[in-house]
């Protein structure tokens, strides 16, 4: 047994963990099989539409929501409900939700032709849609998001009785149903469009890569590269979560996937349970801003701002690296304070051997990156990346059946040329290659299990897309209310009035809004609500739109680590065998220095590779980028020292206070504040150096 295999074996958890409010699996017996095949058909439907785009957008959105409600309610019935009546009830809700999608498909032409006038059947269908979305979302996403959406819906219905500036002109029942259940301003708004078009494809893509063994490659590479450093097991967790973030845009999914290995490993080498869970939760949440496959918010942001997805990726690259740099640094300091060292190099795998042995797994990800930055749409890039993973899964066992190495090389070259032809002939060429592989695979009993891998990955991908999709559906109620009532303008005016005097204060208020909302709702609705309110206001104050939206996005991620509803931390709880609250407190501590990054980006947008300022005009854009990144790294380092209170020795209170003040000075972008920050940095370094020199003879 290899050293890396031994580490993997000793770090395995005792059982599979639940994901986002649902236990694992699809259920037992006939109902479990039905749920599995519903998920399978859901994925096939989405992939077919993504490849051929044969349905109008309104029908696609309606069927997407119908499938989400049906699959979600069937899983609730199978996995959560204990009584027969409860099981039957959720089957009824699921079928009713799916029926609303079918209704929109059948009567699509009639519905769009009678805009402004709804029939009785339309009113019934629209009402049913609102009700079933609330029921399914409440069970899948918890009470907080359902309550927030209910408050917005109530405001739309009864806003005419609200006081002062909050009063609306009033809307009758038919207007509300039309706004929320038909058209593109409510449940079928931009979030559901993005979920049905982009997000689903990338979630399935991640499920396929995980089935193909990408997670093992990430873990082995991380073990070999950073396992020997101070706090090695925790550094492995950070790096493997960062790598996992390149293919999975879900923080909770990252926790459940990579945490199964990293959390037990950290505990084995002496880290406290809550700390191990906090490291994994903090690192995993960074997956949402880690290119190339960022979280669902990135796709919604690209659609909202009407910019290419590649522009969002470009803006996120440096903040993502800084985010994970923060976690690396905090782990390094905490491990030193706790006296924890790295792992023995003798028991660690060679990272480059792992890459050499499993390098084909990197090819689909590399192709995805190329297509995204070459200007192709996310739908095309995601579909092609997914197709390449399927080719890899189906082709590997067939290649193993070919005897001579030369023939195997010819086989892979032929497959590669066939796949490359999609750039010339489109998706049909790639699908033809996949169909040929399926036909060839069927007769070989040993290779037939790969078809089961593909089938299971399709079903699991649909299941993984449930939390994101339902969040996008229920938040449509919020967006519909903001659009219908215009209440957002009141909030925007308040922020602008404050910001005219102090932009920093406006940013702090926006940050607090994100954190407070995030205590009850996931990142997607948090971003959509806050960016709808704060984005235009910050634009009026001179903050570029991408930067302001990334500011909200970043703190939406931080909010998912804050109690009482810190989804990533509660997902880590059963694996770490610690309470979600204790893990959340550790996660906030780990991410504390990361609060610097979005503020720095607002005052110096070149941190997100946006337009440069005065320094760029004088010395050139690259010089400004390097300067801003260096300044941010120093600020992060200082705040880490202030929070943890340790470097190579415990820091005294005044040293921690100086470090905190230096970090703040480097953020605020006031006259000579940078100079003060750099001066404090030198002072802290000299103080620690002098104390280190005095301590050395005593230690000797």
């Amino acid at each position: 047994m290899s050293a890396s295999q031994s580490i993997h074996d000793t770090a395995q958890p005792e059982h599979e963990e639940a994901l986002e409010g649902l236990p694992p699996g699809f259920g037992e017996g006939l109902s479990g099989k039905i749920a599995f095949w519903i998920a399978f058909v859901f994925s096939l439907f989405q992939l077919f539409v993504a490849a051929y785009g044969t349905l109008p957008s309104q029908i696609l959105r309606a069927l997407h929501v119908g499938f989400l409600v049906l699959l979600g309610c069937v899983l609730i019935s199978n996995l959560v409900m204990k009584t027969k009546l409860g099981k039957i009830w959720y089957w009824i809700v699921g079928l009713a939700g799916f029926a609303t999608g079918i209704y929109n498909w059948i009567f699509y032409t009639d519905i769009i032709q009678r805009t402004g006038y709804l029939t009785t059947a339309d009113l019934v269908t629209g009402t049913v849609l609102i009700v079933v979305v609330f029921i399914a979302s409440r069970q899948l996403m918890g009470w907080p998001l359902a309550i927030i959406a209910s408050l917005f819906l109530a405001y739309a219905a009864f806003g005419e009785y609200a006081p002062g500036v909050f009063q609306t002109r009033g809307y009758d029942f038919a207007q509300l149903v039309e706004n929320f259940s038909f058209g593109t301003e409510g449940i079928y708004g931009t979030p559901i469009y993005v979920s049905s078009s982009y997000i689903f494809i990338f979630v399935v893509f991640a499920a396929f890569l995980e089935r193909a063994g990408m997670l093992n490659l990430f873990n082995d590479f991380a073990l070999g590269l950073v396992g020997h450093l101070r706090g090695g097991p925790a550094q492995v967790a950070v790096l493997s979560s960062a790598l996992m973030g390149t293919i999975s845009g879900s923080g909770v999914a990252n926790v459940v996937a990579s945490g199964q290995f990293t959390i037990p490993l950290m505990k084995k080498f002496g880290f406290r349970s809550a700390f191990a869970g906090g490291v994994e939760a903090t690192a995993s949440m960074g997956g949402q801003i880690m290119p190339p496959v960022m979280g669902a918010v990135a796709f919604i942001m690209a659609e909202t701002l009407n910019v290419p997805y590649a522009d969002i990726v470009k803006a996120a690259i440096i903040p993502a690296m800084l985010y994970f740099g923060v976690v690396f640094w905090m782990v390094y300091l905490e491990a030193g304070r706790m006296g924890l060292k790295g792992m023995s190099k003798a028991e660690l795998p060679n990272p480059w051997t792992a890459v050499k042995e499993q390098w084909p797994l990197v090819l689909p990800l590399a192709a995805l990156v190329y297509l995204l930055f070459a200007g192709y749409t996310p739908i095309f890039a995601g579909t092609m990346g997914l197709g390449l993973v399927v080719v890899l899964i189906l082709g590997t066992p067939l290649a193993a059946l070919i005897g001579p190495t030369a023939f195997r090389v010819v086989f892979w070259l032929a497959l590669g040329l066939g796949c490359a032809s999609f750039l010339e002939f489109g998706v049909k060429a790639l699908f033809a290659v996949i169909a040929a592989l399926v036909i060839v695979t069927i007769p070989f009993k040993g290779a037939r299990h790969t078809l089961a891998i593909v089938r299971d990955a399709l079903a699991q991908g649909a299941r993984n897309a449930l939390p994101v999709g339902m969040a996008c559906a229920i938040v449509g109620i919020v967006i519909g209310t903001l659009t219908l009532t215009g209440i957002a303008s009141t909030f925007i005016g308040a922020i602008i009035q404050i910001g005219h005097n102090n932009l920093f204060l406006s940013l702090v208020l926006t940050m607090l809004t994100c954190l407070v909302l995030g205590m009850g709702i996931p990142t997607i609705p948090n971003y959509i609500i806050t960016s709808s309110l704060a984005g235009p206001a910050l634009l009026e104050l001179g903050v570029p739109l991408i930067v302001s939206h990334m500011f909200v996005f970043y703190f939406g991620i931080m909010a998912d680590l804050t109690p009482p509803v810190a989804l990533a931390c509660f997902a880590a709880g059963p694996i770490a065998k610690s309470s979600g609250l204790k893990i959340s407190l550790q996660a906030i501590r780990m991410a504390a220095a990361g609060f610097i990054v979005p503020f720095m980006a607002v005052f110096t947008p070149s941190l997100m590779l946006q337009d440069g300022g005065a320094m760029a005009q004088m010395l050139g854009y690259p010089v400004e980028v390097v300067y801003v990144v260096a300044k941010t790294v120093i600020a992060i380092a200082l705040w880490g020292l202030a929070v943890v209170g340790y470097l190579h020795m415990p820091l005294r209170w005044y040293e921690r206070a100086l470090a905190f003040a230096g970090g703040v000075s480097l953020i605020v972008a006031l006259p000579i504040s940078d100079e003060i920050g750099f001066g404090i940095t030198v002072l802290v370094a000299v103080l620690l150096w002098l104390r280190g020199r005095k301590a050395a003879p005593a230690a000797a």
Side-chain angles (χ1 to χ4, degrees):
M1 179 184 292
S2 68
S4 63
Q5 184 62 46
S6 174
I7 291 172
H8 278 281
D9 290 344
T10 58
Q12 289 305 309
E14 298 174 1
H15 57 279
E16 186 183 2
E17 301 300 333
L19 175 63
E20 299 266 9
L22 284 177
F26 291 89
E28 299 178 353
L30 179 61
S31 60
K33 292 180 180 178
I34 293 174
F36 177 90
W37 288 108
I38 289 173
F40 178 80
V41 172
F42 187 12
S43 284
L44 283 186
F45 164 74
Q46 289 289 158
L47 293 176
F48 177 82
V49 173
Y52 294 100
T54 55
L55 287 177
S57 178
Q58 184 78 3
I59 296 176
L60 172 59
R61 301 181 199 199
L63 289 174
H64 183 72
V65 173
F67 265 117
L68 287 170
V69 174
L70 175 61
L71 178 59
C73 288
V74 169
L75 289 176
I76 293 167
S77 173
N78 292 351
L79 303 173
V80 179
M81 293 295 106
K82 303 299 182 183
T83 65
K84 189 173 182 180
L85 184 62
K87 292 178 181 292
I88 293 173
W89 166 246
Y90 274 98
W91 268 95
I92 293 172
V93 172
L95 290 171
F98 189 69
T100 62
I102 299 297
Y103 181 88
N104 274 271
W105 190 3
I106 294 174
F107 299 105
Y108 168 69
T109 304
D110 296 334
I111 291 172
I112 61 174
Q113 287 178 349
R114 57 174 179 254
T115 302
Y117 167 74
L118 298 183
T119 65
T120 302
D122 293 341
L123 288 172
V124 171
T125 302
T127 305
V128 168
L129 175 64
I130 296 171
V131 171
V132 298
V133 164
F134 267 101
I135 292 173
S137 298
R138 204 283 306 166
Q139 187 67 50
L140 290 169
M141 309 302 296
W143 278 108
L145 183 54
I147 291 173
I148 289 173
S150 299
L151 292 175
F152 274 87
L153 181 61
Y155 178 70
F158 305 110
E160 59 187 308
Y161 304 111
V165 296
F166 297 102
Q167 191 174 55
T168 67
R169 65 181 181 84
Y171 309 97
D172 61 30
F173 182 73
Q175 285 178 293
L176 294 175
V177 171
E178 182 174 15
N179 183 70
F180 292 117
S181 300
F182 299 96
T184 57
E185 298 295 341
I187 293 173
Y188 299 147
T190 298
I192 275 296
Y193 165 70
V194 176
S195 175
S196 62
S197 301
Y198 308 153
I199 297 171
F200 194 96
I201 301 299
F202 283 88
V203 171
V204 175
F205 174 74
F208 268 90
L209 275 180
E210 190 175 336
R211 294 272 175 171
M214 182 65 97
L215 184 56
N216 288 334
L217 171 58
F218 288 158
N219 286 336
D220 287 343
F221 183 77
L223 271 170
L225 200 64
V226 299
H228 64 284
L229 300 176
R230 183 204 281 183
Q235 305 290 21
V236 169
V238 178
L239 182 56
S240 63
S241 294
L243 293 171
M244 186 65 184
T246 62
I247 64 170
S248 168
S250 169
V252 176
N254 286 0
V255 170
V256 175
S258 60
Q260 303 274 1
F261 163 67
T262 58
I263 292 177
L265 181 65
M266 283 186 274
K267 291 177 64 177
K268 177 190 172 188
F269 282 87
F271 287 93
R272 300 189 311 274
S273 296
F275 181 80
V279 170
E280 180 57 46
T282 307
S284 291
M285 288 310 298
Q288 296 187 65
I289 56 169
M290 190 66 184
V293 183
M294 298 166 63
V297 169
F299 296 101
I300 296 172
M301 190 188 304
E303 192 66 31
T304 302
L305 301 180
N306 194 27
V307 298
Y309 177 71
D311 286 2
I312 306 297
V313 170
K314 184 180 77 171
I317 287 175
I318 294 178
M321 291 190 293
L322 290 172
Y323 180 94
F324 284 102
V326 165
V327 189
F328 268 114
W329 177 239
M330 299 296 283
V331 166
Y332 180 82
L333 297 176
E334 280 284 355
R337 190 177 67 84
M338 296 163 63
L340 297 173
K341 302 185 183 300
M343 303 160 69
S344 170
K345 281 192 175 184
E347 64 181 346
L348 296 174
N350 186 316
W352 308 114
T353 300
V355 174
K356 182 180 177 181
E357 292 175 350
Q358 304 178 70
W359 65 267
L361 291 173
V362 181
L363 293 178
L365 191 58
L368 177 69
V369 174
Y370 167 76
L371 291 171
L372 285 174
F373 281 93
Y376 292 92
T377 65
I379 299 177
F380 183 82
T383 306
M384 292 303 102
L386 177 57
L388 290 175
V389 182
V390 175
V391 169
L392 193 64
I393 292 174
L394 294 175
T396 300
L398 290 176
L401 296 173
I402 301 173
T405 303
F407 289 160
R408 285 203 298 272
V409 172
V410 171
F411 171 77
W412 283 116
L413 285 175
L415 265 186
L417 289 172
C419 294
S421 66
F422 74 80
L423 288 174
E424 182 69 28
F425 303 107
V427 295
K428 293 182 180 178
L430 187 56
F431 283 6
V433 173
I434 294 174
L437 285 173
V438 170
I439 293 170
V440 173
T441 299
I442 291 173
F444 297 101
K445 189 174 181 180
R448 213 176 297 163
H449 76 282
T450 57
L451 295 177
I453 292 175
V454 172
R455 177 201 65 199
D456 295 346
L458 285 170
Q460 188 62 40
R463 191 188 189 282
N464 292 348
L466 261 181
V468 176
M470 287 310 305
C472 288
I474 189 70
V475 83
I477 299 292
V478 176
I479 298 302
T481 300
L482 294 176
T483 304
L484 184 66
T485 63
I487 186 60
S489 60
T490 303
F491 185 87
I492 291 168
I495 290 185
I496 291 174
Q497 188 174 1
I498 295 170
H500 274 312
N501 299 320
N502 193 327
L503 174 60
F504 184 77
L505 183 57
S506 290
L507 294 173
V508 170
L509 291 176
T510 304
M511 176 193 73
L512 292 176
T513 302
C514 291
L515 294 178
V516 170
L517 276 177
M519 291 180 185
I521 62 177
T523 309
I524 295 170
N526 186 354
Y527 160 76
I528 293 171
I529 295 169
T530 313
S531 65
S532 299
L533 297 171
L538 294 178
L539 178 65
E540 289 288 329
L541 298 174
V543 181
L545 261 181
I546 285 186
V547 174
S548 64
H549 280 245
M550 287 295 295
F551 182 92
V552 170
F553 185 11
Y554 202 102
F555 280 114
I557 292 169
M558 295 294 193
D560 263 355
L561 301 174
T562 57
V565 186
L567 292 178
C569 299
F570 280 89
I575 310 175
K577 294 181 172 57
S578 181
S579 76
L581 180 60
K582 289 180 179 178
I583 291 173
S584 177
L585 295 175
Q586 290 293 330
I588 293 171
R589 201 157 179 262
M590 286 291 101
F595 280 69
I596 289 175
V597 177
F599 281 93
M600 299 280 283
V602 169
F603 290 111
T604 49
S606 53
L607 189 64
M608 292 185 179
L609 300 179
Q610 302 303 301
D611 294 338
M615 181 178 290
Q617 294 176 0
M618 290 191 305
L619 302 175
Y621 186 69
V623 174
E624 177 169 299
V625 172
V626 171
Y627 172 78
V628 170
V629 170
K631 187 174 77 162
T632 308
V633 168
I634 293 171
I636 286 170
L638 289 172
W639 268 33
L641 294 178
V643 171
V644 178
Y646 187 92
L647 185 56
H648 299 298
M649 66 189 82
L651 271 66
R652 293 167 179 165
W653 68 267
Y654 60 84
E655 292 167 337
R656 296 176 72 171
L658 280 171
F660 179 80
V664 172
S665 295
L666 292 171
I667 293 175
V668 294
L670 296 173
I672 76 166
S673 62
D674 282 4
E675 289 82 352
I676 293 173
F678 289 130
I680 293 175
T681 302
V682 172
L683 178 59
V684 171
V686 169
L687 288 173
L688 294 178
W689 178 72
L690 290 174
R691 279 218 297 133
R693 284 192 64 186
K694 290 181 181 179

